């Protein structure tokens, strides 16, 4: 105990650990009516950490070569002790990360937490969503199976619908005219280096913006005594008499992470193959196109939208317009009201958009 105290004092003198804990953790107050939805961010941090750890462990045996990639994945699954567990945790975790991130963004939407002065919070979170989609897409190719090969072929083909530069973009993504070894090399570099580093930087920026503006007060539940200070450069929302982040809300975060772990491990141990069609266990064959190749569930609405329009360019343009509108929502919705039931236009648009998203997903799955 004395040794631990001496180590703590040594660190405290040099970096001010005590002051950091007092001001940034125990002194960081949250609204008294804060709810469980605010734990989604902590769950996402936990998922990202698990993805990094399992990804590093997979890199020990994975070989990013078109002739060896599928064999190395098979070796991990069948011969490496607990290799199947690491790979399943990584594969299931990628799906869960997208799912929890969508829930997180929905909670921000319905609680009006994207409104001024939190435009930068929303933009950084929106870019994080696109980066997570990107890292999921690039990781999809790495097993070099029939499913991953042809799903990547379909996904990269859609970029060719962009006028004038479409064919050049497809060739740039693939490293050639067709999906092949250069594509695997590019996607591997993006998946293990470029995109994770970008995600880590965006997470840091997102947390910085959150710390500077304060946690948004939920629009429902018990009333919170909130003090808003209007400064020359930014507006900070403090919560006098609120809940300290450490240790009070930290326990809520740990509870939410524990519930997530239970669900996550339940999928990993009892039904991980819901994310693996039969073509995921066949090596890639560029000369044999399997029937009914489709992207992952979170890309199904995009996939089905492209099929609904007479030209792929029109489908991409519609999706691009929708994504741009969503990204700029804080600058479009300038009202101060946050309660969703007091925003009928928002409720109608949000409910309609969610129903359309799920309808396109189901349609794309069964089409």
């Amino acid at each position: 105990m004395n040794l631990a105290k001496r180590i703590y004092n040594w660190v405290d003198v040099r970096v001010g650990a005590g002051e950091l804990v007092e001001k940034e953790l125990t002194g960081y107050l949250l609204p008294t009516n804060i709810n469980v939805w605010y734990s989604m961010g902590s769950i996402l941090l936990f998922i990202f950490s698990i993805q990094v750890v399992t990804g590093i462990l997979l890199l020990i045996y994975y070989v990013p070569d078109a002739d060896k990639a599928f064999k190395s994945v098979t070796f991990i699954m069948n011969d490496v002790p607990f290799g199947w567990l690491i790979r399943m945790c990584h594969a299931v975790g990628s799906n869960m990360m997208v799912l929890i991130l969508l829930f997180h963004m929905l909670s921000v939407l319905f609680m009006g937490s994207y409104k001024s002065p939190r435009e930068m919070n929303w933009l950084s979170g929106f870019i994080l969503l696109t980066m997570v989609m990107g890292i999921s897409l690039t990781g999809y190719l790495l097993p070099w199976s029939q499913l991953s090969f042809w799903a990547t072929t379909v996904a990269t083909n859609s970029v060719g619908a962009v006028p004038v530069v479409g064919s050049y973009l497809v060739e740039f993504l693939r490293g050639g005219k067709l999906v092949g070894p250069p594509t695997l090399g590019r996607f591997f570099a993006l998946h293990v280096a470029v995109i994770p580093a970008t995600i880590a930087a965006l997470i840091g920026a997102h947390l910085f913006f959150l710390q500077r503006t304060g946690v948004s007060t939920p629009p429902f539940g018990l009333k919170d005594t909130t003090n808003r200070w209007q400064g020359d450069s930014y507006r900070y929302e403090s919560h006098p008499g609120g809940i300290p982040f450490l240790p009070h809300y930290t326990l809520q975060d740990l509870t939410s992470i524990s519930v997530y772990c239970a669900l996550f491990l339940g999928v990993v141990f009892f039904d991980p193959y819901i994310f693996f069609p039969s073509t995921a266990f066949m090596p890639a064959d560029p000369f044999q196109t399997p029937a009914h190749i489709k992207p992952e569930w979170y890309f199904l609405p995009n996939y089905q939208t492209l099929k609904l329009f007479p030209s792929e360019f029109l489908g991409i343009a519609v999706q691009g317009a929708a994504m741009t509108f969503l990204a700029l929502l804080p600058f479009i919705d300038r009202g101060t009201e946050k309660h969703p039931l007091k925003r009928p236009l928002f409720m109608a648009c949000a409910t309609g958009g969610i129903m359309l998203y799920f309808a396109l997903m189901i349609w794309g799955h069964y089409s």
Side-chain angles (χ1 to χ4, degrees):
M1 192 68 181
N2 290 333
L3 178 60
K5 187 175 181 180
R6 288 174 62 185
I7 294 175
Y8 173 80
N9 290 336
W10 189 90
V11 174
D12 185 32
V13 169
R14 285 154 181 81
V15 301
E19 183 181 359
L20 180 66
V21 171
E22 181 179 352
K23 289 187 176 180
E24 300 298 331
L25 296 177
T26 58
Y28 192 77
L29 302 179
L30 306 177
T32 54
N33 60 337
I34 196 169
N35 54 58
V36 69
W37 289 102
Y38 283 73
S39 294
M40 290 294 168
S42 298
I43 294 174
L44 285 167
L45 276 175
F46 176 77
I47 296 174
F48 181 67
S49 301
I50 294 296
Q51 290 300 100
V52 170
V53 172
T54 54
I56 292 172
L57 292 174
L58 289 173
L59 281 176
I60 297 173
Y61 293 98
Y62 176 75
V63 181
D65 180 86
D67 295 326
K68 300 176 182 178
F70 185 81
K71 293 178 181 177
S72 67
V73 172
T74 303
F75 178 75
I76 290 171
M77 290 290 291
N78 297 331
D79 298 311
V80 176
F82 298 104
W84 67 271
L85 179 61
I86 300 301
R87 197 222 169 173
M88 288 302 173
C89 284
H90 195 73
V92 174
S94 67
N95 286 272
M96 297 296 283
M97 184 161 58
V98 175
L99 180 63
I100 300 297
L101 185 52
L102 290 174
F103 277 132
H104 183 47
M105 296 197 75
L106 281 176
S107 70
V108 171
L109 276 172
F110 279 94
M111 288 191 282
S113 300
Y114 60 88
K115 291 176 176 284
S116 178
R118 296 180 174 83
E119 294 91 345
M120 296 300 292
N121 302 57
W122 174 261
L123 284 174
S124 59
F126 185 83
I127 299 172
L128 270 170
L129 175 63
T130 61
M131 289 293 102
V132 168
M133 292 290 194
I135 201 170
S136 300
L137 176 65
T138 53
Y140 207 55
L141 177 65
L142 301 190
W144 205 247
S145 63
Q146 272 288 73
L147 175 66
S148 63
F149 180 90
W150 289 103
T152 303
T153 300
V154 172
T156 51
N157 268 339
S158 62
V159 184
V162 179
V164 184
V165 296
S167 59
Y168 299 102
L169 288 175
V170 172
E171 190 169 346
F172 174 75
L173 287 173
R174 295 176 173 176
K177 297 291 184 182
L178 302 173
V179 174
T183 317
L184 180 61
R186 292 184 178 217
F187 276 41
F188 177 75
L190 288 170
H191 186 75
V192 304
V194 179
I195 301 181
T198 305
I199 289 176
L202 284 168
I203 289 173
H206 192 69
L207 294 175
F208 172 77
F209 297 140
L210 177 64
Q211 195 276 339
R212 298 304 290 165
T213 57
V215 174
S216 175
T217 305
F220 33 72
L222 297 173
K223 288 189 176 181
D224 175 65
T225 304
T226 299
N227 179 35
R228 292 180 178 86
W229 173 74
Q230 178 68 52
D232 294 333
S233 57
Y234 72 98
R235 180 170 57 197
Y236 180 83
E237 187 172 320
S238 62
H239 308 279
I243 302 171
F245 177 76
L246 183 73
H248 296 72
Y249 198 74
T250 308
L251 295 175
Q252 175 61 64
D253 278 347
L254 292 175
T255 301
S256 300
I257 290 172
S258 299
V259 172
Y260 165 78
C261 284
L263 296 173
F264 170 70
L265 293 176
V267 175
V268 169
F269 282 103
F270 295 105
D271 196 13
Y273 294 102
I274 58 173
F275 300 114
F276 292 92
S278 59
T279 46
F281 300 98
M282 301 165 57
D285 185 354
F287 304 104
Q288 182 180 357
T289 307
H292 311 300
I293 280 291
K294 294 176 183 178
E296 282 285 276
W297 61 270
Y298 40 83
F299 284 121
L300 281 174
N302 310 77
Y303 164 80
Q304 188 61 31
T305 301
L306 291 177
K307 294 171 64 177
L308 293 178
F309 290 92
S311 71
E312 282 194 350
F313 170 69
L314 187 57
I316 289 176
V318 169
Q319 293 182 58
M323 294 291 282
T324 302
F325 174 82
L326 194 59
L328 299 179
L329 183 61
F331 304 96
I332 298 170
D333 183 6
R334 304 296 295 174
T336 57
E337 180 59 59
K338 291 184 178 181
H339 200 293
L341 297 181
K342 296 179 181 179
R343 294 184 287 158
L345 179 61
F346 164 81
M347 280 295 291
C349 294
T351 304
I354 294 170
M355 292 175 64
L356 178 62
Y357 182 86
F358 280 106
L360 289 171
M361 184 188 299
I362 295 170
W363 193 359
H365 178 74
Y366 288 105
S367 65

